[in-house]
Amino acid sequence: MVVHVNAATSVDGKLASRRREQLAISGPDDFARVDRLRAANDAVMVGVGTVLADDPSLTVDDAGLVDEREERGGPPQPTR
């Protein structure tokens, strides 16, 4: 079994403002990297705090990457 861990944090270790509002700490290049990482794996797992705060879709956004998953014989999206 292979497990990839992807984590993000700001320099000061914060992911939200003092009012608990989500802060953008990633840019387009990082979003594309995470999309490629999702596309290369069978499942995506996040903590319950992320689910409750963000309700993330955890899907592959790039249509070309979705096509590559299907060409390999897999489902279009990783399991949540």
Coordinates of all heavy atoms in Angstrom, one line a residue:
M1 N 0.8 -1.2 0.0 CA 0.0 0.0 0.0 C 0.9 1.2 0.0 O 1.9 1.3 0.7 CB -0.9 0.0 1.2 CG -1.7 1.3 1.4 SD -2.6 1.5 2.9 CE -3.6 0.0 3.0
V2 N 0.5 2.2 -0.8 CA 1.2 3.5 -0.8 C 0.3 4.6 -0.4 O -0.9 4.6 -0.8 CB 1.7 3.8 -2.3 CG1 2.3 5.2 -2.3 CG2 2.6 2.7 -2.7
V3 N 0.7 5.4 0.5 CA -0.1 6.5 1.0 C 0.7 7.8 0.8 O 1.9 7.9 1.1 CB -0.3 6.4 2.5 CG1 -1.1 7.6 3.1 CG2 -1.1 5.1 2.8
H4 N 0.0 8.8 0.2 CA 0.6 10.1 0.0 C -0.1 11.1 1.0 O -1.3 11.1 1.1 CB 0.3 10.7 -1.4 CG 1.0 9.9 -2.5 ND1 0.3 9.0 -3.3 CD2 2.3 9.9 -2.8 CE1 1.2 8.5 -4.1 NE2 2.4 9.0 -3.9
V5 N 0.7 11.9 1.6 CA 0.1 12.9 2.5 C 0.4 14.3 1.9 O 1.5 14.6 1.6 CB 0.8 12.8 3.9 CG1 0.3 13.9 4.8 CG2 0.5 11.4 4.5
N6 N -0.6 15.1 1.8 CA -0.5 16.4 1.3 C -1.0 17.4 2.4 O -2.2 17.2 2.9 CB -1.3 16.6 0.1 CG -1.2 18.0 -0.5 OD1 -0.1 18.3 -1.0 ND2 -2.2 18.8 -0.6
A7 N -0.2 18.3 2.9 CA -0.6 19.2 4.0 C -0.2 20.6 3.6 O 0.8 20.8 2.9 CB 0.0 18.8 5.3
A8 N -1.0 21.5 4.0 CA -0.7 22.9 3.7 C -0.9 23.8 5.0 O -1.8 23.5 5.8 CB -1.6 23.5 2.6
T9 N 0.0 24.7 5.2 CA -0.1 25.7 6.3 C 0.6 26.9 5.9 O 1.5 26.9 5.0 CB 0.4 25.0 7.6 OG1 0.1 25.9 8.7 CG2 1.9 24.8 7.5
S10 N 0.3 28.0 6.5 CA 1.0 29.2 6.3 C 2.3 29.2 7.1 O 2.5 28.4 8.0 CB 0.1 30.4 6.7 OG -0.2 30.4 8.0
V11 N 3.1 30.2 6.9 CA 4.4 30.4 7.7 C 4.1 30.4 9.2 O 4.8 29.9 10.0 CB 5.2 31.6 7.2 CG1 6.4 31.8 8.1 CG2 5.6 31.4 5.8
D12 N 3.0 31.1 9.6 CA 2.7 31.2 11.0 C 1.9 30.1 11.5 O 1.5 30.1 12.7 CB 2.1 32.6 11.3 CG 0.7 32.8 10.6 OD1 0.2 31.8 9.9 OD2 0.1 33.8 10.8
G13 N 1.6 29.1 10.7 CA 0.9 27.9 11.1 C -0.6 28.1 11.1 O -1.4 27.2 11.6
K14 N -1.1 29.2 10.6 CA -2.6 29.4 10.6 C -3.2 29.1 9.3 O -2.6 29.3 8.2 CB -2.8 30.9 11.0 CG -2.2 31.4 12.2 CD -2.7 30.7 13.4 CE -2.1 31.3 14.7 NZ -2.3 30.5 15.9
L15 N -4.4 28.6 9.3 CA -5.2 28.3 8.1 C -6.5 29.2 8.1 O -7.2 29.1 7.1 CB -5.6 26.9 8.1 CG -4.4 25.9 7.9 CD1 -4.9 24.5 8.0 CD2 -3.7 26.1 6.6
A16 N -6.7 30.0 9.1 CA -7.9 30.8 9.1 C -7.6 32.1 9.8 O -6.6 32.2 10.6 CB -9.1 30.1 9.9
S17 N -8.5 33.1 9.6 CA -8.3 34.4 10.3 C -8.8 34.2 11.7 O -9.3 33.2 12.1 CB -9.1 35.4 9.5 OG -10.5 35.2 9.7
R18 N -8.6 35.3 12.5 CA -9.1 35.3 13.8 C -10.6 35.1 13.9 O -11.2 34.6 14.9 CB -8.8 36.6 14.5 CG -7.3 36.7 14.8 CD -6.9 37.9 15.6 NE -5.5 38.0 15.8 CZ -4.9 38.9 16.4 NH1 -5.6 39.9 16.9 NH2 -3.6 38.9 16.6
R19 N -11.3 35.5 12.8 CA -12.8 35.3 12.8 C -13.2 33.9 12.2 O -14.3 33.7 11.9 CB -13.4 36.4 11.9 CG -13.3 37.7 12.6 CD -13.9 38.8 11.8 NE -13.3 38.8 10.5 CZ -13.1 39.9 9.8 NH1 -13.5 41.1 10.2 NH2 -12.4 39.9 8.6
R20 N -12.2 33.0 12.1 CA -12.3 31.6 11.6 C -12.8 31.6 10.1 O -13.4 30.7 9.7 CB -13.3 30.9 12.5 CG -12.9 30.8 13.9 CD -12.8 29.4 14.3 NE -12.5 29.3 15.7 CZ -11.4 28.6 16.2 NH1 -10.7 27.9 15.3 NH2 -11.2 28.5 17.4
E21 N -12.3 32.6 9.4 CA -12.6 32.6 7.9 C -11.4 32.0 7.2 O -10.3 32.2 7.6 CB -12.8 34.1 7.4 CG -13.9 34.8 8.0 CD -13.9 36.3 7.8 OE1 -12.8 36.8 7.7 OE2 -15.0 36.9 7.7
Q22 N -11.7 31.1 6.3 CA -10.7 30.4 5.5 C -9.8 31.4 4.8 O -10.3 32.4 4.2 CB -11.3 29.5 4.5 CG -10.3 28.6 3.8 CD -10.9 27.7 2.8 OE1 -12.1 27.7 2.7 NE2 -10.1 26.8 2.2
L23 N -8.5 31.2 4.8 CA -7.5 32.1 4.1 C -7.0 31.3 2.9 O -6.8 30.1 2.9 CB -6.4 32.4 5.0 CG -6.7 33.2 6.3 CD1 -5.5 33.3 7.2 CD2 -7.3 34.6 5.9
A24 N -6.7 32.0 1.8 CA -6.1 31.4 0.6 C -4.6 31.4 0.8 O -4.0 32.4 1.0 CB -6.5 32.3 -0.6
I25 N -4.1 30.2 0.9 CA -2.7 30.0 1.1 C -2.0 29.3 -0.1 O -0.8 29.1 -0.1 CB -2.3 29.3 2.4 CG1 -2.9 27.9 2.4 CG2 -2.8 30.1 3.6 CD1 -2.4 27.0 3.6
S26 N -2.8 29.0 -1.1 CA -2.3 28.3 -2.3 C -2.6 29.1 -3.5 O -3.6 29.9 -3.5 CB -3.0 26.9 -2.4 OG -2.7 26.1 -1.3
G27 N -1.9 28.8 -4.6 CA -2.2 29.5 -5.8 C -2.5 28.5 -6.9 O -2.6 27.3 -6.7
P28 N -2.6 29.0 -8.1 CA -3.0 28.1 -9.3 C -2.0 27.0 -9.5 O -2.5 25.9 -9.8 CB -2.9 29.1 -10.5 CG -3.1 30.5 -9.9 CD -2.5 30.4 -8.5
D29 N -0.7 27.2 -9.3 CA 0.2 26.1 -9.5 C 0.0 25.0 -8.5 O 0.1 23.8 -8.8 CB 1.7 26.6 -9.4 CG 2.1 27.4 -10.6 OD1 1.4 27.4 -11.6 OD2 3.1 28.2 -10.5
D30 N -0.3 25.3 -7.2 CA -0.5 24.3 -6.2 C -1.8 23.6 -6.4 O -1.9 22.4 -6.2 CB -0.5 25.0 -4.8 CG -0.4 23.9 -3.7 OD1 0.4 23.0 -3.8 OD2 -1.2 24.0 -2.8
F31 N -2.8 24.3 -6.9 CA -4.1 23.7 -7.1 C -4.0 22.7 -8.3 O -4.5 21.6 -8.2 CB -5.2 24.7 -7.5 CG -5.6 25.6 -6.4 CD1 -5.7 27.0 -6.5 CD2 -6.0 25.0 -5.2 CE1 -6.1 27.8 -5.5 CE2 -6.4 25.8 -4.1 CZ -6.5 27.2 -4.3
A32 N -3.2 23.0 -9.3 CA -2.9 22.0 -10.4 C -2.2 20.8 -9.9 O -2.4 19.7 -10.3 CB -2.2 22.7 -11.5
R33 N -1.2 21.0 -9.0 CA -0.4 19.9 -8.4 C -1.3 19.0 -7.6 O -1.2 17.8 -7.7 CB 0.7 20.5 -7.5 CG 1.6 19.4 -6.9 CD 2.5 20.0 -5.8 NE 1.8 20.6 -4.7 CZ 1.2 19.9 -3.7 NH1 1.3 18.6 -3.7 NH2 0.6 20.5 -2.8
V34 N -2.2 19.6 -6.8 CA -3.1 18.7 -6.0 C -4.1 18.0 -6.9 O -4.4 16.8 -6.7 CB -3.9 19.6 -5.0 CG1 -5.0 18.8 -4.3 CG2 -2.9 20.2 -3.9
D35 N -4.5 18.6 -8.0 CA -5.4 17.9 -9.0 C -4.7 16.7 -9.6 O -5.3 15.6 -9.7 CB -5.8 18.9 -10.0 CG -7.2 18.6 -10.6 OD1 -8.1 18.1 -9.9 OD2 -7.4 18.8 -11.8
R36 N -3.4 16.9 -9.9 CA -2.6 15.7 -10.4 C -2.4 14.7 -9.4 O -2.5 13.5 -9.7 CB -1.3 16.2 -11.0 CG -1.3 17.1 -12.2 CD 0.1 17.3 -12.8 NE 1.0 17.9 -11.9 CZ 1.1 19.2 -11.7 NH1 0.3 20.1 -12.3 NH2 2.0 19.7 -10.8
L37 N -2.2 15.1 -8.1 CA -2.1 14.1 -7.1 C -3.4 13.3 -6.9 O -3.4 12.1 -6.7 CB -1.7 14.8 -5.8 CG -1.4 14.0 -4.6 CD1 -0.2 13.1 -4.8 CD2 -1.1 14.9 -3.4
R38 N -4.5 14.0 -6.9 CA -5.8 13.3 -6.8 C -6.0 12.3 -7.9 O -6.5 11.2 -7.7 CB -7.0 14.3 -6.7 CG -7.1 15.1 -5.4 CD -8.2 16.0 -5.5 NE -8.3 16.8 -4.3 CZ -8.9 17.9 -4.1 NH1 -9.6 18.4 -5.1 NH2 -8.9 18.5 -3.0
A39 N -5.7 12.8 -9.1 CA -5.9 12.0 -10.3 C -5.1 10.7 -10.3 O -5.4 9.7 -10.8 CB -5.6 12.8 -11.6
A40 N -3.9 10.7 -9.6 CA -3.0 9.6 -9.6 C -3.4 8.6 -8.5 O -2.7 7.5 -8.4 CB -1.6 10.1 -9.4
N41 N -4.3 8.9 -7.6 CA -4.6 8.0 -6.5 C -6.1 7.5 -6.5 O -6.9 8.1 -7.2 CB -4.4 8.8 -5.2 CG -2.9 9.0 -5.0 OD1 -2.2 8.1 -4.5 ND2 -2.3 10.1 -5.4
D42 N -6.3 6.4 -5.8 CA -7.6 5.7 -5.8 C -8.6 6.4 -4.8 O -9.8 6.3 -5.0 CB -7.4 4.3 -5.4 CG -6.6 3.5 -6.4 OD1 -6.7 3.8 -7.6 OD2 -5.9 2.6 -5.9
A43 N -8.1 7.1 -3.8 CA -9.0 7.6 -2.8 C -8.4 8.9 -2.2 O -7.2 9.1 -2.2 CB -9.2 6.6 -1.7
V44 N -9.2 9.8 -1.7 CA -8.8 11.0 -1.0 C -9.5 11.0 0.3 O -10.7 10.8 0.5 CB -9.2 12.2 -1.8 CG1 -8.9 13.5 -1.1 CG2 -8.7 12.2 -3.2
M45 N -8.7 11.3 1.4 CA -9.3 11.3 2.7 C -8.9 12.7 3.4 O -7.7 13.1 3.2 CB -8.6 10.2 3.5 CG -9.1 10.1 4.9 SD -8.5 8.6 5.8 CE -6.8 9.0 6.0
V46 N -9.8 13.2 4.1 CA -9.6 14.5 4.8 C -10.2 14.3 6.2 O -11.0 13.4 6.5 CB -10.2 15.7 4.2 CG1 -9.5 16.0 2.8 CG2 -11.7 15.6 4.0
G47 N -9.8 15.1 7.1 CA -10.3 15.1 8.5 C -11.7 15.6 8.6 O -12.2 16.4 7.7
V48 N -12.4 15.2 9.6 CA -13.8 15.7 9.8 C -13.9 17.2 9.9 O -14.9 17.8 9.5 CB -14.4 14.9 11.0 CG1 -13.8 15.4 12.3 CG2 -15.9 15.2 11.1
G49 N -12.9 17.8 10.5 CA -12.9 19.3 10.6 C -13.0 19.9 9.2 O -13.7 20.9 9.0
T50 N -12.2 19.4 8.3 CA -12.2 19.9 6.9 C -13.6 19.7 6.3 O -14.2 20.6 5.6 CB -11.1 19.2 6.1 OG1 -9.9 19.5 6.7 CG2 -11.2 19.7 4.6
V51 N -14.2 18.5 6.5 CA -15.5 18.2 5.9 C -16.5 19.2 6.5 O -17.4 19.7 5.7 CB -15.9 16.7 6.2 CG1 -17.3 16.5 5.8 CG2 -15.0 15.8 5.5
L52 N -16.5 19.4 7.8 CA -17.5 20.2 8.4 C -17.3 21.7 8.0 O -18.3 22.4 7.8 CB -17.5 20.1 9.9 CG -17.9 18.7 10.5 CD1 -17.6 18.7 12.0 CD2 -19.3 18.4 10.1
A53 N -16.1 22.1 7.9 CA -15.8 23.5 7.6 C -16.0 23.9 6.1 O -16.5 24.9 5.8 CB -14.4 23.9 8.1
D54 N -15.5 23.0 5.3 CA -15.4 23.3 3.8 C -16.3 22.4 2.9 O -16.6 22.8 1.8 CB -14.0 23.1 3.3 CG -13.0 24.0 4.0 OD1 -13.5 25.1 4.5 OD2 -11.8 23.7 4.0
D55 N -16.8 21.2 3.4 CA -17.5 20.3 2.5 C -16.8 20.2 1.2 O -17.4 20.5 0.1 CB -18.9 20.7 2.4 CG -19.7 19.6 1.7 OD1 -19.3 18.4 1.7 OD2 -20.8 19.9 1.0
P56 N -15.5 19.8 1.1 CA -14.8 19.8 -0.1 C -15.3 18.7 -1.1 O -15.7 17.6 -0.6 CB -13.3 19.5 0.3 CG -13.5 18.7 1.6 CD -14.7 19.3 2.3
S57 N -15.2 19.0 -2.3 CA -15.7 18.0 -3.3 C -14.6 16.9 -3.5 O -15.0 15.7 -3.8 CB -15.9 18.7 -4.7 OG -14.7 19.2 -5.2
L58 N -13.4 17.2 -3.3 CA -12.3 16.2 -3.4 C -12.2 15.5 -4.8 O -11.8 14.3 -4.9 CB -12.4 15.1 -2.3 CG -12.5 15.7 -0.9 CD1 -12.7 14.6 0.1 CD2 -11.2 16.5 -0.5
T59 N -12.6 16.2 -5.8 CA -12.6 15.6 -7.1 C -11.5 16.1 -8.0 O -10.9 17.1 -7.7 CB -14.0 15.9 -7.9 OG1 -14.1 17.4 -7.9 CG2 -15.2 15.3 -7.1
V60 N -11.3 15.4 -9.1 CA -10.3 15.8 -10.1 C -11.0 16.8 -11.0 O -12.0 16.5 -11.6 CB -9.7 14.6 -10.9 CG1 -8.8 15.1 -12.0 CG2 -9.1 13.6 -9.9
D61 N -10.5 18.0 -11.1 CA -11.1 19.1 -11.9 C -10.7 19.0 -13.4 O -11.5 19.3 -14.3 CB -10.8 20.4 -11.4 CG -11.4 20.6 -10.0 OD1 -12.4 20.1 -9.7 OD2 -10.7 21.4 -9.2
D62 N -9.5 18.7 -13.7 CA -9.0 18.7 -15.1 C -9.6 17.6 -15.9 O -9.4 16.4 -15.6 CB -7.4 18.6 -15.0 CG -6.8 18.7 -16.4 OD1 -7.0 17.8 -17.2 OD2 -6.2 19.8 -16.7
A63 N -10.3 17.9 -16.9 CA -11.0 16.9 -17.8 C -10.0 15.9 -18.4 O -10.3 14.7 -18.5 CB -11.8 17.6 -18.9
G64 N -8.8 16.4 -18.7 CA -7.8 15.5 -19.3 C -7.3 14.5 -18.3 O -7.1 13.3 -18.7
L65 N -7.2 14.9 -17.0 CA -6.8 13.9 -16.0 C -7.9 12.9 -15.7 O -7.6 11.8 -15.5 CB -6.4 14.7 -14.7 CG -5.2 15.6 -14.8 CD1 -5.0 16.4 -13.5 CD2 -3.9 14.7 -15.0
V66 N -9.1 13.4 -15.8 CA -10.3 12.5 -15.6 C -10.2 11.4 -16.8 O -10.4 10.2 -16.5 CB -11.6 13.2 -15.6 CG1 -12.8 12.3 -15.7 CG2 -11.7 14.1 -14.4
D67 N -10.0 11.9 -18.0 CA -9.9 11.0 -19.1 C -8.8 9.9 -18.9 O -9.0 8.8 -19.2 CB -9.7 11.7 -20.4 CG -10.9 12.6 -20.9 OD1 -12.0 12.3 -20.4 OD2 -10.7 13.5 -21.7
E68 N -7.6 10.4 -18.4 CA -6.5 9.5 -18.2 C -6.9 8.4 -17.2 O -6.5 7.3 -17.3 CB -5.3 10.3 -17.7 CG -4.6 11.1 -18.8 CD -3.4 11.9 -18.2 OE1 -2.9 11.5 -17.1 OE2 -3.0 12.8 -18.9
R69 N -7.6 8.8 -16.1 CA -8.1 7.8 -15.1 C -8.9 6.8 -15.8 O -8.8 5.6 -15.5 CB -8.8 8.5 -14.0 CG -8.0 9.3 -13.0 CD -8.9 10.0 -12.0 NE -9.6 9.0 -11.2 CZ -9.2 8.3 -10.2 NH1 -8.0 8.5 -9.7 NH2 -10.0 7.5 -9.5
E70 N -9.8 7.2 -16.6 CA -10.8 6.3 -17.3 C -10.0 5.4 -18.3 O -10.3 4.2 -18.4 CB -11.9 7.0 -17.9 CG -12.8 7.7 -16.9 CD -13.9 8.5 -17.5 OE1 -13.7 9.3 -18.5 OE2 -15.1 8.3 -17.0
E71 N -9.0 5.9 -19.0 CA -8.2 5.2 -19.9 C -7.5 4.1 -19.2 O -7.2 3.0 -19.8 CB -7.3 6.1 -20.7 CG -8.0 6.9 -21.7 CD -7.1 8.0 -22.3 OE1 -5.9 8.0 -22.1 OE2 -7.7 8.9 -23.1
R72 N -7.1 4.3 -18.0 CA -6.4 3.3 -17.2 C -7.3 2.2 -16.6 O -6.9 1.3 -16.0 CB -5.6 3.9 -16.0 CG -4.5 4.8 -16.4 CD -3.6 5.2 -15.2 NE -4.3 5.8 -14.1 CZ -4.4 7.1 -13.8 NH1 -3.7 7.9 -14.6 NH2 -5.1 7.5 -12.8
G73 N -8.6 2.4 -16.9 CA -9.6 1.5 -16.5 C -10.2 1.8 -15.1 O -10.9 0.9 -14.5
G74 N -9.9 2.9 -14.6 CA -10.4 3.3 -13.3 C -11.7 4.2 -13.4 O -12.1 4.6 -14.5
P75 N -12.3 4.5 -12.2 CA -13.4 5.4 -12.2 C -12.9 6.8 -12.5 O -11.8 7.1 -12.4 CB -13.9 5.3 -10.8 CG -12.8 4.9 -10.0 CD -11.9 4.0 -10.9
P76 N -13.8 7.7 -12.9 CA -13.4 9.1 -13.3 C -12.9 9.9 -12.1 O -12.1 10.8 -12.3 CB -14.7 9.7 -13.9 CG -15.8 8.8 -13.4 CD -15.3 7.5 -13.2
Q77 N -13.4 9.5 -10.9 CA -13.0 10.3 -9.7 C -12.5 9.3 -8.6 O -12.9 8.2 -8.5 CB -14.2 11.0 -9.1 CG -14.7 12.1 -10.1 CD -13.7 13.2 -10.3 OE1 -12.9 13.5 -9.5 NE2 -13.9 13.9 -11.4
P78 N -11.5 9.8 -7.8 CA -11.1 8.9 -6.6 C -12.3 8.8 -5.6 O -13.1 9.7 -5.6 CB -9.9 9.7 -6.1 CG -10.1 11.1 -6.5 CD -10.8 11.0 -7.8
T79 N -12.2 7.8 -4.8 CA -13.2 7.6 -3.8 C -13.0 8.6 -2.7 O -11.8 8.9 -2.3 CB -13.1 6.2 -3.2 OG1 -13.3 5.2 -4.2 CG2 -14.1 5.9 -2.1
R80 N -14.0 9.2 -2.2 CA -13.9 10.1 -1.0 C -13.8 9.4 0.2 O -14.4 8.4 0.5 CB -15.2 11.0 -1.0 CG -15.2 12.1 -2.0 CD -16.5 12.9 -2.0 NE -16.5 13.5 -0.7 CZ -17.3 14.6 -0.4 NH1 -18.0 15.1 -1.3 NH2 -17.3 15.1 0.8

